[in-house]
Amino acid sequence: MYILVTGTAGFIGMHLSQKLLSLGYMVIGIDNLNEYYDITLKRNRLGILMENPNFHFENIDITDIDSVKKLFESFPFNKVIHLAAQAGVRYSIENPFAYLDSNVHGFLTILEACKDYKVSHLLYASSSSVYGNNKNKLSETEDANSPVSLYATTKRSNELMAYTYNHLYNIRTTGMRFFTVYGPWGRPDMAYYKFTKSIIEGLPIQLYNYGNLKRDFTYIDDIIKGIMLLFLHEQDINNKQPNEVYNIGNSRPYSLNYFINTLENVIGKRADRIELPMQLGDVVETYADISKIRDATGYKPKIELEVGLTNFVRWYVDYHKEK
Ligand SMILES: NC(=O)c1ccc[n+]([C@@H]2O[C@H](COP(=O)([O-])OP(=O)(O)OC[C@H]3O[C@@H](n4cnc5c(N)ncnc54)[C@H](O)[C@@H]3O)[C@@H](O)[C@H]2O)c1
């Protein structure tokens, strides 16, 4: 089976590709290796994947429809897992055009290719940010039409575009709303990575909204488990292919202060905390209701925060020691 993973040099893309390869799939990974964050980290992730002969990489920008179609011409993809995107809420305030390009134009290219080459199932990354500042436990039945950042707008647009392509062309589509993913090989632009770096180097850390934020931190292995369950999930398909959206989260939100206390204990060093006001585009709290994916697939996240952070810090120290 040929599987296309877009954004394969990214944090989630690398872990997912590794999982698929371990199960014997042929994985074709694409990425444009852009410089939004340290490109060496992306290259090192790729280096690990390249060790497996069942992995093939192409440096392709998903906004380039000709290259994308050529790729679909070359490989008979059974399923596509689309993770490539311009990520990050805060950067969408600085550089909004990057989000429209990669996340909207790029997603349209993938939809067009899936339509033209009759891909049986498209799974794509959405985000908890589509819920905006909704403070409820976030279920897929909640309203998701008040995004507070352009990043969130592009992710919600993807869900609407997937709905339309499912309706028009009967493509099976599964949107995955990830909740704050952390773990080894993670993203240096994310707060937990920056906190770790600063605490280890004895530099101050910045706590937005005076530390009064809550996040449903989800360990990478639990995210990969959720993706794989949806990837393998067989649904009753008559004539109409399903179009679904699922939360993939931990369903145990922690305050930023508790998160940092845990990180301090794992590192064995106190943080110097600077409290700042709320940042534009941020949400106050995320809390995933995971009953939909649990009822459909049996999904149950397992990794406790202490364990996940210990694994992350161990990787971080080891990875940066080699530099
Ligand atoms: N990490 C999280 O907490 C989180 C939470 C919610 C949603 N998501 C979504 O999950 C997906 C993966 O996230 P991640 O954390 O692995 O991010 P990441 O930035 O590490 O990975 C994304 C990859 O896509 C590539 N890419 C970006 N634009 C591209 C383009 N135009 N053409 C080809 N490749 C391109 C990047 O080079 C990068 O390697 C993204 O869609 C992201 O928005 C992530």
Side-chain angles (χ1 to χ4, degrees):
M1 240 199 184
Y2 285 91
I3 312 299
L4 172 62
V5 177
T6 74
T8 194
F11 168 39
I12 302 175
M14 173 213 179
H15 286 279
L16 179 71
S17 301
Q18 275 188 311
K19 182 70 187 176
L20 290 165
L21 289 166
S22 76
L23 296 172
Y25 292 99
M26 299 290 293
V27 178
I28 313 303
I30 64 170
D31 203 292
N32 71 351
L33 299 175
N34 68 49
E35 293 184 356
Y36 166 60
Y37 62 76
D38 181 19
I39 195 164
T40 313
L41 179 59
K42 294 185 185 181
R43 289 196 191 285
N44 288 338
R45 291 181 187 132
L46 261 189
I48 291 177
L49 296 175
M50 302 275 218
E51 286 169 13
N52 191 312
N54 289 342
F55 180 75
H56 172 81
F57 175 70
E58 294 202 17
N59 187 331
I60 289 178
D61 192 307
I62 52 164
T63 60
D64 176 358
I65 183 100
D66 293 337
S67 300
V68 169
K69 288 207 166 171
K70 217 163 110 196
L71 183 82
F72 277 72
E73 201 70 63
S74 310
F75 297 98
F77 295 123
N78 303 83
K79 298 194 181 206
V80 171
I81 308 178
H82 174 60
L83 303 173
Q86 178 56 58
V89 168
R90 287 163 195 166
Y91 186 62
S92 67
I93 307 288
E94 272 168 56
N95 191 355
F97 288 97
Y99 290 76
L100 265 290
D101 291 345
S102 288
N103 302 6
V104 179
H105 181 179
F107 188 57
L108 182 59
T109 303
I110 297 297
L111 284 170
E112 275 290 302
C114 288
K115 173 198 82 180
D116 290 347
Y117 293 88
K118 311 265 177 286
V119 168
S120 71
H121 190 184
L122 167 66
L123 298 102
Y124 64 94
S126 183
S127 162
S128 60
S129 64
V130 300
Y131 292 110
N133 257 325
N134 186 332
K135 302 214 177 39
N136 296 333
K137 189 172 179 185
L138 301 168
S139 140
E140 296 85 346
T141 53
E142 291 283 330
D143 169 75
N145 293 318
S146 309
V148 297
S149 69
L150 195 75
Y151 168 70
T153 303
T154 61
K155 289 292 174 183
R156 182 68 183 126
S157 305
N158 288 173
E159 296 177 355
L160 300 176
M161 291 161 78
Y163 176 91
T164 305
Y165 269 64
N166 169 268
H167 169 75
L168 291 176
Y169 308 114
N170 208 19
I171 302 172
R172 181 174 176 195
T173 52
T174 304
M176 304 174 290
R177 293 177 176 170
F178 301 139
F179 282 68
T180 316
V181 192
Y182 74 100
W185 295 99
R187 270 174 35 208
D189 62 313
M190 289 185 69
Y192 72 93
Y193 201 116
K194 292 183 182 166
F195 292 156
T196 304
K197 182 173 191 295
S198 296
I199 296 173
I200 288 175
E201 293 177 6
L203 299 169
I205 61 169
Q206 300 186 324
L207 299 192
Y208 291 102
N209 203 30
Y210 310 100
N212 297 318
L213 298 174
K214 272 190 167 181
R215 289 289 178 274
D216 199 354
F217 296 99
T218 312
Y219 190 64
I220 184 69
D221 291 8
D222 285 325
I223 290 288
I224 300 303
K225 188 161 63 178
I227 299 175
M228 288 309 300
L229 285 167
L230 294 173
F231 173 87
L232 295 168
H233 182 46
E234 296 299 338
Q235 282 181 276
D236 262 346
I237 298 166
N238 298 319
N239 290 327
K240 181 74 183 84
Q241 293 282 353
N243 165 68
E244 297 285 354
V245 171
Y246 293 92
N247 289 338
I248 310 185
N250 195 32
S251 205
R252 278 182 77 178
Y254 290 106
S255 73
L256 208 48
N257 280 318
Y258 180 84
F259 184 87
I260 290 164
N261 293 345
T262 310
L263 189 57
E264 288 176 330
N265 291 340
V266 168
I267 297 174
K269 213 168 153 187
R270 295 286 140 230
D272 174 10
R273 303 172 192 222
I274 300 179
E275 295 190 343
L276 295 169
M278 186 75 172
Q279 284 216 121
L280 214 55
D282 247 359
V283 298
V284 175
E285 181 172 345
T286 61
Y287 180 5
D289 180 334
I290 52 172
S291 49
K292 183 172 174 184
I293 184 170
R294 186 195 57 220
D295 293 349
T297 70
Y299 173 75
K300 193 165 179 274
K302 285 223 171 74
I303 307 296
E304 301 283 342
L305 187 63
E306 291 74 7
V307 176
L309 281 179
T310 302
N311 293 347
F312 171 69
V313 170
R314 201 173 287 149
W315 168 82
Y316 179 94
V317 170
D318 205 49
Y319 180 77
H320 291 278
K321 191 173 62 200
E322 288 165 16
K323 296 271 137 59

